[in-house]
Amino acid sequence: MISAMGPAPTRAAGSVGPVETRYADLPDPIDLDCGRRLTQVRVAYETYGTLSPERDNVILVCHALSGDAHAAGRSATSTDSTRDGFGAEDRDGAGTQGLGWWDGMIGPGKAFDTDRFFVVSTNLLGGCRGTTGPSSVNPETGRPYGSDFPVVTVADMVRTERAFLATLGIERLAAVAGGSLGGMQALQWAVQYPDRVGAVVAIASTHALHAQGLAWNAIARDAIMRDPDWQGGHYHGTGRAPSAGMGVARMVGHVTYLSSDAMTDRFGRGLQSSDDVRYTITDAEFQVESYLRHQAGTFVKRFDANTYLYTSRALTYFDLARQHGDGSLAKALEGVTARTLLIAFSSDWLYPPSASRDVEEALLGLGKPVEFHVIDAPYGHDCFLLEEARQTPIIRRFLSA
Amino acid sequence: MISAMGPAPTRAAGSVGPVETRYADLPDPIDLDCGRRLTQVRVAYETYGTLSPERDNVILVCHALSGDAHAAGRSATSTDSTRDGFGAEDRDGAGTQGLGWWDGMIGPGKAFDTDRFFVVSTNLLGGCRGTTGPSSVNPETGRPYGSDFPVVTVADMVRTERAFLATLGIERLAAVAGGSLGGMQALQWAVQYPDRVGAVVAIASTHALHAQGLAWNAIARDAIMRDPDWQGGHYHGTGRAPSAGMGVARMVGHVTYLSSDAMTDRFGRGLQSSDDVRYTITDAEFQVESYLRHQAGTFVKRFDANTYLYTSRALTYFDLARQHGDGSLAKALEGVTARTLLIAFSSDWLYPPSASRDVEEALLGLGKPVEFHVIDAPYGHDCFLLEEARQTPIIRRFLSA
């Protein structure tokens, strides 16, 4: 039942209130894995809660492919919501306007409790929501980078986050947390800056995407790049953008974020028209067809196609064993000092529990502290955005230890 | 292991030899579900084996979305192969040239034994391989139908097959068989012409596709229709065709035909280059990316995009309960007199065993003869094209009863 999709939080929990995204210009260039160097990097960010005098209560929250810095509270400047995931509109109704994508998880009394922690959220490197990315102006040419933007990795995103935090005077994180690509960033932090991370919360994530996940991402990227309006990646300023292709990419993504059972429960074979089929090729006939087109339409309005390409590429490249362990995940994780919390969802076939289990087993084998929970939930990968009530006590307990 | 993907048939079995596709012009128009009437319908077909004097040994074989009339033997006129499915190239090597798509199943001593049966295979209505479809000339305009072609259903395909068989003097089928959309046609035959079908073999098929299956098909169709070269469906004769979009559609389809485990076994995260990633957005970096692009490239050369749209639409519309039972599958199947054999594959998530089980249970509830086998095989939906050795004894035994 859709009404039961996002169970209400079990405790009264507050909101961080109205928030405004801010911007920081990094003083130094970022040296990237690809060998190139990015200068004049700007980072969009928000913060929730209060930084302790010791600066020891910082949690960095990292977003997934389609998110941004606005993770919690209500935007003071926009009614757009980056709240996402299956059924978000139904769950929040009109109240969704301006809410951050993880508002159910961040706030006073919530999983990431702003009464205790200073939560920082940034738009990732390569993004299109304020942080430097392909749609930003290339200082060398005065025009948007487009596909001249360097190919960035999850490690580059983490480097940028680290450099940004330094501008706030923050040198060490109590925890770093995220789901999906955000979880990859969290794991990367633990490997890349082991002495700067106290705890990792990686939800619905993986140390390396499986072959089918690579395939879905490749199809989504190809859908964008095959759109003639992509123009080799230099569509900025032409008045045309590869919206048709990115709509297809989004639809592919969306189906991979859901479970088949959840789609059956929600849509079944329900028709758009009340009675019978209308014998049409072009029109949406089934409710699920209409739903997907709607999802595609809203997404292309708020998201940049090149950012989709770069972010998708980064998450397919991510492979801790290859990048840090000569092919061995255990070797890659040898230096980790953070306590690690892994959460996966039983119906998530894109980032299946087995991927988190690989990480758990590697950490256990190294004698490192790790906790792994598989939440039995039916909504697929989107559970990390939906199953707030059941994640909350697990995360609160972990962060209190 | 890829080498073990298509296990060799367990018995020596022969080939039907060189074959040539023939064409029949139907004497009468076909009245369609949508209310329109198609005139001057041509059907492409092949036959294998010998028609008995009593005309009582006919098996009609129905193909799936991407097949055609060339089901068995070696084409006398073309080196193209419609042999399909994961790993077909590896399995058959150069010997694949000109082989029919179900050559492993049709022939002397094979599952559909041409020593005993007269096997007939047609290209379905709406097809692009000889039977009247959107790329055929509309007799009313003298130009290709394009998207003026009427929306056809599985029932319309079966009507056309029935009318075609009449031109051969065949009024009754010993059996009708097919996989996927072909299995839908087989089930439709049993419902639509109960007194003309002795037995049904429906493999990796369903009485109605589930919501996620509807979604994948909608995405594939949208990928084609969003390609500007589709031109509203009237691309024939313009020198342009929506190959970019149909390539995406094929890639989506291909991944849904495979299991995640099979993709991991075959490709894993193997890179195209021997050593490390090359930091590229546009080039295929992982082997699975290159494989998908190759599949897309070969498919668009041999297939018409409008036929893809029409066939995909027909298979999403197919719903025995809605069309024949006022929402009840049992009611839809009440009139069936054919013995029914259902085969499904454990790893098929597009046409899962549960769909065949629905049909089995409905038939059992009606006291009708039905046999259901789930073959434990790892390759997903493509198993119906690959698992010839294990399907063969089941089908031979069923047809001998």
Side-chain angles (χ1 to χ4, degrees):
Chain A
M1 300 301 294
I2 185 66
S3 58
M5 186 153 289
T10 48
R11 289 156 298 91
S15 167
V16 302
V19 291
E20 207 161 331
T21 303
R22 283 173 290 176
Y23 305 89
D25 292 312
L26 303 188
D28 299 312
I30 301 287
D31 287 315
L32 304 172
D33 277 347
C34 67
R36 289 173 62 185
R37 167 175 287 192
L38 267 180
T39 58
Q40 301 183 25
V41 175
R42 169 170 286 195
V43 174
Y45 71 101
E46 295 188 1
T47 68
Y48 322 107
T50 308
L51 183 61
S52 64
E54 301 79 12
R55 300 169 184 264
D56 63 354
N57 69 334
V58 180
I59 295 180
L60 176 69
V61 162
C62 306
H63 69 75
L65 196 149
S66 62
D68 62 14
H70 181 41
R74 201 173 286 277
S75 171
T77 56
S78 168
T79 57
D80 288 351
S81 175
T82 53
R83 263 174 99 68
D84 211 340
F86 187 45
E89 294 99 338
D90 305 275
R91 185 184 43 180
D92 297 324
T96 193
Q97 287 192 348
L99 280 187
W101 59 270
W102 230 6
D103 186 70
M105 298 278 276
I106 302 167
K110 292 182 177 173
F112 302 102
D113 190 344
T114 50
D115 286 340
R116 184 178 161 204
F117 292 105
F118 181 63
V119 177
V120 181
S121 170
T122 69
N123 184 212
L124 48 68
L125 184 69
C128 57
R129 308 273 294 183
T131 292
T132 298
S135 52
S136 303
V137 169
N138 180 348
E140 289 180 17
T141 65
R143 292 182 300 128
Y145 282 102
S147 52
D148 293 335
F149 195 75
V151 175
V152 295
T153 63
V154 172
D156 294 329
M157 295 171 186
V158 166
R159 274 184 197 106
T160 306
E161 288 155 9
R162 161 83 195 80
F164 155 72
L165 288 166
T167 68
L168 300 187
I170 296 167
E171 291 298 326
R172 185 178 160 81
L173 297 171
V176 56
S180 195
L181 171 60
M184 291 177 174
Q185 292 166 67
L187 291 168
Q188 181 70 33
W189 262 94
V191 169
Q192 196 164 336
Y193 301 118
D195 52 346
R196 298 181 181 276
V197 187
V200 165
V201 180
I203 305 172
S205 194
T206 180
H207 58 96
L209 202 57
H210 55 50
Q212 197 200 52
L214 299 180
W216 293 126
N217 276 277
I219 292 170
R221 292 195 308 275
D222 267 15
I224 292 170
M225 294 190 292
R226 285 164 179 248
D227 185 332
D229 285 341
W230 185 57
Q231 304 170 64
H234 294 289
Y235 54 86
H236 302 284
T238 66
R240 292 181 291 134
S243 302
M246 194 163 70
V248 172
R250 177 59 168 178
M251 291 192 275
V252 169
H254 204 79
V255 177
T256 66
Y257 303 152
L258 304 178
S259 71
S260 181
D261 286 347
M263 297 189 77
T264 293
D265 287 352
R266 164 98 181 240
F267 304 108
R269 294 180 51 85
L271 294 168
Q272 282 290 98
S273 59
S274 53
D275 39 7
D276 204 353
V277 300
R278 294 164 300 168
Y279 302 103
T280 170
I281 299 291
T282 50
D283 293 352
E285 183 80 276
F286 295 96
Q287 288 163 21
V288 66
E289 295 173 355
S290 173
Y291 173 81
L292 287 173
R293 286 187 178 177
H294 174 75
Q295 290 295 326
T298 48
F299 186 68
V300 299
K301 280 185 206 145
R302 72 171 172 88
F303 211 77
D304 175 60
N306 277 337
T307 282
Y308 197 104
L309 296 178
Y310 279 82
T311 313
S312 166
R313 181 45 107 194
L315 70 83
T316 65
Y317 276 163
F318 184 70
D319 187 335
L320 286 176
R322 178 176 60 73
Q323 292 163 306
H324 298 279
D326 297 327
S328 157
L329 181 59
K331 190 171 169 193
L333 298 171
E334 259 174 7
V336 170
T337 62
R339 297 183 303 122
T340 302
L341 170 63
L342 306 165
I343 298 175
F345 301 94
S346 56
S347 58
D348 184 348
W349 52 287
L350 190 63
Y351 290 74
S354 58
S356 293
R357 182 155 291 120
D358 290 344
V359 177
E360 180 204 24
E361 287 175 358
L363 288 170
L364 284 176
L366 295 163
K368 303 200 185 277
V370 57
E371 207 180 295
F372 176 38
H373 299 262
V374 179
I375 295 179
D376 189 26
Y379 319 117
H381 187 57
D382 266 0
C383 283
F384 87 89
L385 297 164
L386 299 167
E387 281 288 344
E388 294 156 352
R390 285 202 275 175
Q391 294 180 79
T392 294
I394 296 170
I395 294 169
R396 284 180 65 87
R397 197 184 324 118
F398 174 77
L399 293 176
S400 300
Chain B
M1 304 299 296
I2 184 66
S3 57
M5 184 152 291
T10 48
R11 289 157 297 92
S15 168
V16 301
V19 290
E20 205 160 333
T21 303
R22 282 175 289 176
Y23 305 89
D25 292 311
L26 303 189
D28 300 311
I30 301 287
D31 288 315
L32 304 172
D33 277 346
C34 67
R36 288 174 62 187
R37 169 175 285 191
L38 266 180
T39 58
Q40 300 185 24
V41 175
R42 170 170 286 195
V43 173
Y45 72 101
E46 295 189 0
T47 69
Y48 322 107
T50 307
L51 183 60
S52 65
E54 300 79 12
R55 298 169 185 264
D56 63 354
N57 69 332
V58 180
I59 295 180
L60 177 69
V61 162
C62 306
H63 69 75
L65 196 149
S66 63
D68 63 13
H70 181 42
R74 199 172 288 277
S75 170
T77 55
S78 168
T79 57
D80 288 352
S81 175
T82 53
R83 262 175 100 69
D84 212 339
F86 188 44
E89 295 97 337
D90 305 277
R91 184 185 42 178
D92 297 323
T96 195
Q97 286 192 349
L99 280 187
W101 60 271
W102 230 6
D103 186 69
M105 298 280 274
I106 302 166
K110 293 183 177 173
F112 302 101
D113 190 344
T114 51
D115 286 340
R116 184 177 161 204
F117 292 105
F118 181 63
V119 177
V120 181
S121 169
T122 69
N123 185 209
L124 49 68
L125 184 69
C128 57
R129 307 273 295 182
T131 293
T132 298
S135 53
S136 303
V137 170
N138 180 347
E140 289 179 18
T141 65
R143 291 181 301 129
Y145 283 101
S147 51
D148 293 334
F149 194 75
V151 174
V152 294
T153 64
V154 171
D156 295 329
M157 295 171 185
V158 166
R159 273 183 198 107
T160 307
E161 288 154 11
R162 162 81 194 82
F164 156 72
L165 288 166
T167 70
L168 299 189
I170 295 167
E171 292 298 327
R172 186 180 160 81
L173 297 171
V176 55
S180 194
L181 171 60
M184 290 177 174
Q185 292 166 69
L187 292 167
Q188 181 70 34
W189 262 94
V191 169
Q192 196 163 336
Y193 301 118
D195 53 345
R196 298 181 182 278
V197 186
V200 164
V201 180
I203 305 172
S205 194
T206 180
H207 57 96
L209 202 58
H210 55 51
Q212 196 198 53
L214 299 179
W216 293 127
N217 276 277
I219 293 170
R221 291 195 308 274
D222 267 17
I224 292 170
M225 294 190 293
R226 284 163 179 248
D227 184 331
D229 286 341
W230 184 58
Q231 305 171 64
H234 294 290
Y235 55 86
H236 302 283
T238 67
R240 292 181 293 134
S243 302
M246 194 163 71
V248 172
R250 177 60 168 179
M251 290 192 275
V252 169
H254 203 79
V255 177
T256 66
Y257 303 152
L258 304 177
S259 71
S260 182
D261 285 349
M263 297 189 77
T264 293
D265 287 352
R266 165 96 181 241
F267 304 108
R269 293 180 49 85
L271 295 168
Q272 281 290 97
S273 59
S274 53
D275 38 9
D276 205 352
V277 300
R278 294 163 300 169
Y279 302 103
T280 170
I281 300 290
T282 51
D283 293 351
E285 183 79 278
F286 295 96
Q287 288 162 20
V288 67
E289 295 174 353
S290 173
Y291 172 82
L292 287 173
R293 287 188 177 177
H294 174 74
Q295 291 293 328
T298 49
F299 186 66
V300 299
K301 279 185 210 146
R302 74 171 170 89
F303 211 76
D304 175 60
N306 278 336
T307 282
Y308 198 102
L309 295 179
Y310 279 81
T311 313
S312 166
R313 181 43 106 193
L315 69 84
T316 64
Y317 276 163
F318 184 71
D319 186 336
L320 285 177
R322 177 177 61 73
Q323 293 164 307
H324 299 279
D326 295 328
S328 158
L329 182 58
K331 190 172 169 192
L333 297 172
E334 260 175 5
V336 170
T337 61
R339 297 184 302 123
T340 302
L341 170 63
L342 306 165
I343 299 175
F345 301 94
S346 57
S347 58
D348 184 348
W349 52 286
L350 190 63
Y351 290 73
S354 58
S356 294
R357 182 157 291 118
D358 291 343
V359 178
E360 182 206 21
E361 287 175 357
L363 288 171
L364 284 176
L366 295 163
K368 303 201 185 277
V370 57
E371 207 180 299
F372 177 38
H373 299 262
V374 180
I375 295 179
D376 190 26
Y379 318 116
H381 187 57
D382 266 358
C383 282
F384 89 87
L385 297 164
L386 299 166
E387 280 288 345
E388 294 156 351
R390 284 201 278 173
Q391 294 179 81
T392 294
I394 296 170
I395 294 169
R396 284 180 64 88
R397 198 183 323 116
F398 175 77
L399 292 176
S400 300

